[in-house]
Amino acid sequence: MKYCRFQFENAPHFGLVESLAGRDSITRLLLATPEEANGKLESIPSIPITPLILSDATLFEPVRPSKIICVGRNYREHAAELGNEVPKEPLLFFKPPSALLAPGGTVRRLTFAERSDYEGELGVVIGKRCSKLAPDEDVRFYILGYTCVNDFTARDLQKKDGQWTRAKGFDTSCPVGPVVTTQLDPWAGVTVETRVNGQVRQHGTTLDFIFPLDAVIRYIARFMTLLPGDLIATGTPSGVGPVVGGDVMEVEIEGIGILRNPVADEIA
Ligand code: MG
């Protein structure tokens, strides 16, 4: 099952996304939010609408998390390219929900930062309250679905500040979407690709995670309760690099779609 959040009759709604004649289309309105479904998306009541092609719709962020938890340096080659050691435990940081940006929305690069980088990542959306998992519990039970995330980063501020609140938490620094899908298996390997102005910059697979998803979720749940709708960004493959105003970034994950966002220089 795939869903999005979109403009319908002047208000944001969640909508079911299905393939019609080979094109992703919004076919039904969901009458409850995915966060309310307690992991059972199929149980959400819905009504049919005149199908709308997804790429023609005005989309909003398909998640409304209480928190966004990101994994840093979860790909060996990416840790190496920035001169960092491979972490021995998952390295976590937050992005605030105020950083979220809709598919198609403009990332406002901080003009006082010297270098601003894209980071294409697989996003995991939590479906059920999750705390202190038993060793034999399957983390998949707590996952609602998957989406694309761009962990946009002011790289020089990340180094300068020592912690990453400003570098990774500014407004528009967390593009997400375009849809959330349940039909993905990161353990089997999915491709995460980032393009800038159509040129491929990152091309990784979730098979290269240093800490696989079950390790990450188990680790977080030991000390912090994950709530329905919470978003986990799972780390970026190698190939990060700077963008400037006028560039267009695309994060594509097979089975999810393309998260496309232009970059503009912040208006002072
Ligand atoms: Mg990242």
Side-chain angles (χ1 to χ4, degrees):
M1 181 174 169
K2 246 185 214 182
Y3 65 84
C4 68
R5 197 158 148 258
F6 73 117
Q7 180 91 356
F8 183 78
E9 292 177 349
N10 298 317
H13 289 271
F14 284 96
L16 181 71
V17 175
E18 296 178 293
S19 181
L20 290 184
R23 303 192 74 173
D24 273 351
S25 306
I26 308 167
T27 58
R28 301 182 76 87
L29 277 193
L30 303 183
L31 301 180
T33 71
E35 300 97 40
E36 291 166 337
N38 201 29
K40 294 198 177 89
L41 283 177
E42 304 73 21
S43 69
I44 298 178
S46 65
I47 52 169
I49 57 169
T50 305
L52 173 62
I53 293 171
L54 186 69
S55 56
D56 291 345
T58 300
L59 296 178
F60 301 105
E61 310 90 274
V63 291
R64 295 183 300 174
S66 75
K67 54 192 169 291
I68 304 159
I69 303 171
C70 307
V71 187
R73 299 167 196 158
N74 201 20
Y75 290 80
R76 222 164 283 278
E77 287 177 18
H78 168 61
E81 75 180 344
L82 294 179
N84 295 305
E85 296 202 349
V86 170
K88 294 187 173 59
E89 292 184 298
L91 172 64
L92 304 177
F93 61 93
F94 280 136
K95 283 171 106 78
S98 52
L100 287 169
L101 181 67
T106 300
V107 172
R108 300 276 169 197
R109 182 182 75 87
L110 300 177
T111 47
F112 55 85
E114 286 169 12
R115 173 175 160 172
S116 302
D117 287 9
Y118 54 83
E119 291 191 2
E121 309 195 6
L122 173 71
V124 179
V125 184
I126 296 296
K128 292 172 76 89
R129 186 187 168 91
C130 172
S131 172
K132 297 184 172 49
L133 298 180
D136 58 346
E137 259 187 294
D138 187 349
V139 301
R140 291 174 215 230
F141 181 68
Y142 295 94
I143 295 174
L144 188 69
Y146 303 92
T147 189
C148 306
V149 174
N150 187 342
D151 172 21
F152 197 79
T153 302
R155 192 67 71 200
D156 54 309
L157 301 184
Q158 182 186 17
K159 288 204 181 89
K160 180 180 172 191
D161 290 356
Q163 47 71 36
W164 305 352
T165 304
R166 185 167 63 144
K168 286 174 173 282
F170 61 90
D171 293 350
T172 74
S173 67
C174 193
V176 62
V179 302
V180 173
T181 183
T182 59
Q183 296 141 2
L184 204 74
D185 183 2
W187 285 270
V190 294
T191 300
V192 179
E193 182 170 289
T194 309
R195 296 181 292 270
V196 177
N197 305 330
Q199 288 189 325
V200 177
R201 300 289 182 85
Q202 296 184 287
H203 187 88
T205 163
T206 55
L207 289 176
D208 289 338
F209 280 158
I210 296 169
F211 301 103
L213 269 187
D214 42 315
V216 167
I217 293 174
R218 218 174 275 289
Y219 183 82
I220 296 170
R222 276 178 68 186
F223 61 88
M224 184 181 292
T225 302
L226 289 165
L227 299 175
D230 281 355
L231 179 64
I232 301 172
T234 56
T236 202
S238 62
V240 299
V243 285
V244 294
D247 287 339
V248 176
M249 306 175 289
E250 291 176 314
V251 178
E252 179 166 14
I253 298 180
E254 53 178 336
I256 300 173
I258 300 174
L259 171 64
R260 184 181 292 110
N261 296 89
V263 184
D265 292 332
E266 174 204 29
I267 299 164

